[in-house]
Amino acid sequence: MGEFLTVRRRFRLRLFVEGLMVGLVTGTIIAAFRFLIDAADIYRPMWLERLKFQTDPLDWLLTIAIIFSTAFLISKAIERDGQIAGSGVPQIKGILQGSMSMTKPIRLIATKFLMSVLAIGEGMSLGRAGLSVQFGACVGMFLNGILGRHPKFEGKFLLTAGAGAGLAAIFNAPLAGVIFCVEELHKKFSSELLTVSMTAAVSASAVVELVFGVRPVFEAITPVLSSRPLISTVPTLDMLSTLASAPFDFVMSFAALGAMTGVLGALFTRALLASLDVYARIKITGLKKFLIPLTLSIIIGLYLPEVLGCGNVLVDDLLRGDVMPSMLITLFVMKFLFTMVCFGTGAPGGIFLPLLVLGALAGEIFAIAGSTVGVFGYEWATLFIIFGMAGYFAAVVKAPVTGSILIMELTGSFTHLLALIIVSSVAFLISDLCGGTPAYTALLNRSLRR
């Protein structure tokens, strides 16, 4: 018995060291990835403004050349390696289940890194969190191969830890990364998994913080920090007092938001699968397929640039109150449709951030509707924006704990836990009643059928 404990302790120590290595490398990759995507969010609107207000034909010729080049490169990269397509999370789930494999993780990181920066940077409505999860998993897989560990035991720990580190790094949310490992990927809990995933998530987040400072993806959410003073837009409503004074209004308001996001989330998953089926039926392949969203990104960007890219900038605008109420439904519909057009092509990019943006828009629409009929005051709008993201995530990904923890880490506040639980639980239940399936599982099953 004593010898067994000694061996197990050595194994945990080894996992701790390996998790640290996975986290540091993953954090470095994600920091570079986030820097390039953030730079694109700055320079893309500037270029679109130039196209809109200047008539220099050379600018348009250059834009067309870039679009064609990007479509060509993405199509050739996916022909060479099918795992470059999509978000990467279904592929990781497939590897963990034993139904898929990964042979060249470093080549996959390098190629998908470049292709996703081109696709998202040029305006495709795709997310970067799923990509980050896959990058981290590739790091774990590569390290496992170098160290010669057993692929079905320690290899799965390193793969899962790397995936969680990727999520933790892109959102600067280490606890959400760990919960994601257990709730969505590994589906089993053990002290060994906790050791390696926590070490990897914390070290990856530390690297990103060294580069960017204490900044989440949605900067307007950040509360005031002594080391980095930022303006907070999260209201400090006394939840317990509100619950005591008006319990029915409190519960029903957040339950109604959960029901709304639950229905919309189930619709999102169905539309996601339908978009893939539409492209398959019309048999547009290769360069032509990727020219569709890239061309649309220029047209949409000239008139509604908020729809382009991941969408984290749009959430910041919502939280600051910079979006006109009359534009909310238009933005929601256009973001929803353009996400389907982009994801259906199989371009490298995920759904994580776009679905959070749609949840934020749904929360703002709900806040305006509720305050208009006098159910609650508009001062609750910011909370509904934030909780809308959690509800939409729970409805689409079917991981309500991860969504709730992620939102709490982004806000830096645990005072809203009760409301988060209400919204996420109701959204999960309503989505299930509407026939919604976990998006990543549905995408994996579709890939395996094909």
Side-chain angles (χ1 to χ4, degrees), residues 62-292:
L62 178 59
T63 301
I64 293 171
I66 292 173
I67 288 175
F68 270 85
S69 299
T70 301
F72 175 79
L73 290 172
I74 293 175
S75 63
K76 291 301 180 182
I78 293 177
E79 284 179 13
R80 187 178 183 185
D81 187 351
Q83 290 201 13
I84 292 172
S87 74
V89 177
Q91 291 93 321
I92 301 307
K93 289 172 68 70
I95 293 171
L96 289 171
Q97 293 175 11
S99 55
M100 289 185 175
S101 61
M102 182 191 301
T103 56
K104 298 182 179 180
I106 295 301
R107 190 183 74 177
L108 178 59
I109 291 176
T111 308
K112 193 159 188 174
F113 184 103
L114 177 59
M115 294 303 106
S116 57
V117 168
L118 289 175
I120 300 172
E122 292 180 32
M124 281 198 190
S125 181
L126 298 168
R128 53 189 178 182
L131 299 168
S132 301
V133 168
Q134 190 175 24
F135 294 157
C138 288
V139 172
M141 180 70 76
F142 178 72
L143 179 63
N144 181 72
I146 289 179
L147 298 176
R149 308 304 187 203
H150 196 292
K152 292 186 178 180
F153 295 99
E154 193 167 345
K156 286 191 174 183
F157 283 139
L158 294 179
L159 180 79
T160 307
L167 182 67
I170 200 66
F171 284 112
N172 201 7
L175 186 55
V178 175
I179 299 300
F180 182 76
C181 290
V182 178
E183 186 178 26
E184 178 62 20
L185 296 179
H186 211 76
K187 302 293 186 181
K188 295 179 182 178
F189 177 81
S190 67
S191 58
E192 288 78 13
L193 177 62
L194 179 63
T195 298
V196 68
S197 59
M198 180 65 80
T199 306
V202 171
S203 56
S205 297
V207 172
V208 173
E209 284 193 10
L210 286 175
V211 177
F212 293 99
V214 186
R215 283 174 49 196
V217 173
F218 308 119
E219 292 190 20
I221 290 181
T222 310
V224 177
L225 301 173
S226 58
S227 59
R228 187 181 177 89
L230 295 172
I231 298 174
S232 172
T233 58
V234 181
T236 56
L237 293 176
D238 189 342
M239 286 289 180
L240 294 179
S241 297
T242 306
L243 177 61
S245 60
F248 181 79
D249 292 343
F250 179 92
V251 174
M252 291 307 297
S253 295
F254 292 113
L257 176 61
M260 176 183 174
T261 53
V263 173
L264 293 174
L267 175 63
F268 181 91
T269 303
R270 290 188 178 186
L272 207 64
L273 298 172
S275 68
L276 292 165
D277 293 337
V278 168
Y279 276 101
R281 282 198 300 268
I282 61 180
K283 299 185 184 303
I284 296 179
T285 59
L287 178 146
K288 296 178 182 179
K289 182 166 62 172
F290 301 105
L291 280 177
I292 295 173

Side-chain angles (χ1 to χ4, degrees), residues 11-27:
F11 180 59
R12 288 178 181 171
L13 178 60
R14 192 170 73 195
L15 285 177
F16 178 86
V17 175
E18 292 171 356
L20 181 63
M21 296 167 62
V22 170
L24 293 175
V25 176
T26 300

